[in-house]
Amino acid sequence: MSNPNFIDLFSGHSAIYAKYRPTYPEQIYTDIKNYLTKDVKVIVDIGCGSGQAVVDLAKHFKGAKVIGVEPSPQQLEQAPKMDNVEYRCAKAEQTGLPDGIADLITVATAIHWFDLDLFWKEVDRILAPGGVIAVWSNGTSETHVPEADEVYKKFNEKIYPYWAPQNHMIFNKYKDIIFPYEKNERKITIFPREMPFKGFIGYLNSWSALQKYLPQDPHILQQAEKDMVAALKLKDPHDPVTIYWEIILLLAQKPEK
């Protein structure tokens, strides 16, 4: 099904998005498991994009069925196929799933695109009593090498005006998100991740703000890459670097009754 009313900033570069969007730290799934109070048979990952979190959920909850919901057919074309996974092309606010189907609902770096009033109604409809909703996002990232982080900061400052207003919810660390359930918690953690520097550049290239900025300066990313390679003293841009990634995680549980 097609959804002409949703905000789509990623379909035009869905292959880049799928290739370079980083996976999430293992600790997220441990934190979710520790928060659960009931067995999980069905997980619904809403706004699943090209399936980054879906793959991890399928691995960490082997006995569960994972349903990825995403309104962009181009994104779903990039999503990996797995035995315990199915995908639905639908909006977050109107998934078309049966009432109470989900023991766990997840949203990875996507909730800021939703109509939250309608989304919370849909969550309450499809989430089983005692079920959990977990919302998380990548936040800031740094190399902890001052010269390289200064280059990165200037790069960010140039493209900052090109972010959609919804992205500012992430910049505000999801403080604007208010769950409809009384039992909830929020945590922010910094995770070091080693990756090829080229992979980090690929991640920057997946940003919707950069894609909008490029027509006026097509070489901004190449220049930032060159300057950061020098600052990091890398012999080759494919050499590994450690990126310190902020992860914002919100958890809430629907009452049993």
Side-chain angles (χ1 to χ4, degrees):
M1 70 187 271
S2 62
N3 297 290
N5 297 322
F6 85 99
I7 299 170
D8 185 6
L9 298 177
F10 303 100
S11 292
H13 60 289
S14 56
I16 296 174
Y17 190 96
K19 181 176 181 179
Y20 289 112
R21 279 280 155 157
T23 56
Y24 298 102
E26 298 285 309
Q27 186 62 43
I28 286 180
Y29 306 101
T30 299
D31 289 342
I32 292 172
K33 287 182 177 180
N34 290 339
Y35 194 78
L36 294 165
T37 59
K38 58 185 288 187
D39 291 338
V40 173
K41 296 179 180 178
V42 177
I43 302 169
V44 179
D45 185 46
I46 301 182
C48 70
S50 50
Q52 280 82 2
V54 167
V55 171
D56 289 340
L57 289 163
K59 292 177 180 177
H60 285 273
F61 295 86
K62 293 185 182 299
K65 178 181 181 180
V66 183
I67 303 172
V69 177
E70 167 61 39
S72 167
Q74 292 87 350
Q75 289 275 46
L76 289 178
E77 286 175 6
Q78 304 291 331
K81 309 300 185 287
M82 301 177 70
D83 290 342
N84 59 332
V85 170
E86 72 173 58
Y87 295 100
R88 295 176 64 90
C89 190
K91 292 196 295 183
E93 304 85 354
Q94 193 174 359
T95 65
L97 292 168
D99 293 357
I101 188 175
D103 303 301
L104 172 63
I105 293 174
T106 58
V107 185
T109 316
I111 197 171
H112 47 286
W113 300 114
F114 303 167
D115 180 322
L116 289 180
D117 289 339
L118 295 177
F119 176 65
W120 293 133
K121 291 178 182 178
E122 184 70 350
V123 166
D124 199 52
R125 185 184 70 79
I126 68 173
L127 187 61
V132 166
I133 176 168
V135 175
W136 68 89
S137 177
N138 290 316
T140 59
S141 52
E142 297 179 334
T143 66
H144 286 189
V145 176
E147 296 84 355
D149 287 337
E150 184 62 25
V151 173
Y152 184 41
K153 178 183 176 183
K154 290 179 179 178
F155 168 82
N156 274 299
E157 288 172 349
K158 286 184 178 180
I159 69 168
Y160 182 83
Y162 293 81
W163 286 111
Q166 291 86 347
N167 287 103
H168 290 261
M169 291 179 67
I170 298 178
F171 305 153
N172 198 33
K173 304 184 190 303
Y174 279 172
K175 292 177 183 176
D176 303 320
I177 294 177
I178 300 174
F179 282 113
Y181 305 130
E182 184 175 346
K183 183 183 177 184
N184 63 81
E185 67 180 54
R186 177 176 177 274
K187 64 187 297 185
I188 297 176
T189 312
I190 306 295
F191 291 96
R193 175 181 293 144
E194 187 176 274
M195 62 192 304
F197 180 69
K198 268 291 189 182
F200 180 66
I201 293 299
Y203 163 70
L204 301 185
N205 197 30
S206 76
W207 285 1
S208 57
L210 177 63
Q211 297 301 317
K212 289 194 290 184
Y213 181 89
L214 283 176
Q216 74 177 59
D217 183 1
H219 305 294
I220 183 175
L221 185 58
Q222 290 93 325
Q223 187 60 53
E225 176 182 357
K226 179 181 177 182
D227 293 344
M228 288 187 74
V229 164
L232 292 166
K233 297 179 172 58
L234 300 178
K235 294 181 179 179
D236 187 286
H238 294 89
D239 287 347
V241 295
T242 299
I243 305 295
Y244 295 84
W245 236 294
E246 179 185 69
I247 298 290
I248 306 153
L249 174 63
L250 287 70
L251 296 159
Q253 184 176 38
K254 181 177 179 177
E256 287 285 354
K257 294 182 180 180

